[in-house]
């Protein structure tokens, strides 16, 4: 299971501190953190199999991180990659806009279940998509 830990508003010098561990599938290829997009600049690791990412930050200080929700139902391989949700959210200038984009994508029901955190140092949101 992947782990995503977020400290929000605890340290005055660092309003947002994130720790993540991607250990769900050890054999799934991944690339180290890098610039994933340039307008806006998005930085994060890259899933080498499906593209996208499970965690990243943009030039505006918006962070988005996603973990799979397993055990609810079998993974449907016909659904779109959840790794496209984080870069789509990170195209926005603040966490409020980013979380609305993630909710809109989840409402289409084209991705397997996930949970996500979207934050920017001023606001923190959690998205849980069960179907």
């Amino acid at each position: 299971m992947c782990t995503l830990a977020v400290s929000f508003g605890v340290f005055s010098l660092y309003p947002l501190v994130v720790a993540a561990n991607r250990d769900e599938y050890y054999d799934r290829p991944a690339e180290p953190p890098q610039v994933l997009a340039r307008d806006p600049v998005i930085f994060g690791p890259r899933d080498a199999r499906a593209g996208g990412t499970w965690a990243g930050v943009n030039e505006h200080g918006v962070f988005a991180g996603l973990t799979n929700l397993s055990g609810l139902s079998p993974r449907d391989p016909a659904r779109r990659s959840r790794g496209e949700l984080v870069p789509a959210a990170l195209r926005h200038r603040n966490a409020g806009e980013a979380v609305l984009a993630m909710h809109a994508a989840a409402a289409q029901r084209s991705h397997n279940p996930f949970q996500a955190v979207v934050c920017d140092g001023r606001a923190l949101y959690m998205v849980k998509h069960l179907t």
Side-chain angles (χ1 to χ4, degrees), residues 6-131:
V6 177
S7 171
F8 177 73
V10 175
F11 307 105
S12 59
L13 289 177
Y14 307 102
L16 175 63
V17 179
V18 178
N21 184 19
R22 179 182 182 249
D23 60 0
E24 186 173 7
Y25 301 109
Y26 293 117
D27 62 339
R28 187 165 184 139
E31 298 172 8
Q34 60 192 277
V35 174
L36 300 170
R38 298 231 180 253
D39 189 25
V41 173
I42 298 173
F43 184 80
R46 184 175 175 282
D47 181 321
R49 181 180 297 161
T53 188
W54 58 95
V57 63
N58 72 17
E59 67 182 78
H60 307 293
V62 179
F63 169 82
L66 180 144
T67 65
N68 298 335
L69 279 174
S70 58
L72 298 176
S73 59
R75 182 184 169 282
D76 181 351
R79 289 187 171 193
R80 296 171 65 167
S81 170
R82 290 170 281 213
E84 66 188 26
L85 295 167
V86 168
L90 293 175
R91 290 189 187 103
H92 298 276
R93 297 181 69 83
N94 62 61
E97 293 172 1
V99 79
L100 289 175
M102 196 171 277
H103 274 297
Q108 295 175 15
R109 300 181 187 262
S110 57
H111 301 87
N112 285 297
F114 68 87
Q115 56 191 1
V117 172
V118 179
C119 44
D120 63 9
R122 293 174 299 281
L124 178 136
Y125 302 92
M126 182 172 177
V127 177
K128 199 167 206 174
H129 172 62
L130 301 176
T131 59

